[in-house]
Amino acid sequence: MSDILSFLQDHQSEMEETLLRLVEAESPSTNKELTDQCGIVLQKEFERLVGGKAEIIPQERVGNQYCFTYGTGEEQEQILIIAHYDTVWSQGALPIKKENGILYGPGTFDMKGGLTTTLWALKALKEFNIFGKRKVVFFVSSDEEVGSLFSRETIEKLAKDSSMVYVPESSISPDAAVKTSRKGVGWFTINISGVTGHAGIDPWAGASAIEELALQIVEMKKLADKEKGISVNVGLIEGGSRPNVIAKHAHAEVDVRFTAKEQAYELEREFQNLTPFLNGTTVEVSGGINRYPLERNAEVIMLYEQLKEIAAGHGYELKEGSSGGASDGNFTAGLGIPTIDGLGPQGAGAHSDDEHVVLANLPYRAALLAEALKKNI
Ligand SMILES: [Zn+2]
């Protein structure tokens, strides 16, 4: 067994304490005051366990964000770890309980488990005095669950100086596979104007925005391709005013998912080119690509192979998988920086009532990241 893994296993109960402190400091993205308190807990844990530079990036609307640095590094390029400490849970919505070696509670799996293993991975590197030519930058945002509006710029800026990115987001259940691909996502809004009229007196004179929208929906759905992993979901529609009035307005909101960057460009073009079928109506499209996909390219496979080898040394097989959901890893992957995601500990139930983490897995996940960093710094 590796020294790093046995060190971490010896400290499992302390790792559990770190995790519990973070989980007890509830941090719904939408409550700045509360979230900031969790940020302070996080900063204290970093300073206590790792030491080093902790830069606070103050925020007005969401919780403050943190940029922690491990090592000094002579080289310009760094290794980046991105995470978030906000959760989808409002205060008190989900009870915290420990049962049979499992911790249940808000954010345990998404992603305070990953915060814990990252802090302890850095702690282990420091313990063994492992420093390299590159520094490790650990960025923690506070608004990932609400779209990363106030962190995207920082993430992209940090990514440009990084040779690789590790994302300790929740793993794939049940066997804690890492994510070597994630779909990209786009959001489009379709606004349709028609010509109103009396449905009884002059039914043929108007142009119904609702009828036009119905035709557009059929058209948009043609862009979906199950084989290629492209999906189109018209998730919201509204329009019209009364049954006896020809609809003047209709509106739809659409979520598209895709697996390759070229598909994103193509979809964007197709949406922009939607044209009306009915005389007298107009179709206006806004929105676009929100996150490019994390594609399973040669560099990602290399990062995965490296992790797999480390895991084999720890006596288990590390699996890989893909996710239809997006994370901040999509931003860094979108810039062409090799990114591997889903490095968080074993567990399940992100955003659901049984959210939990398997505590015995914490040392393994921390050791996995620590040894990957050791190889690459
Ligand atoms: Zn997450």
Side-chain angles (χ1 to χ4, degrees), residues 84 110-111 144-145 169-170 351:
H84 65 90
D110 185 9
M111 60 170 288
E144 198 270 350
E145 299 291 5
E169 268 280 5
S170 34
H351 303 195

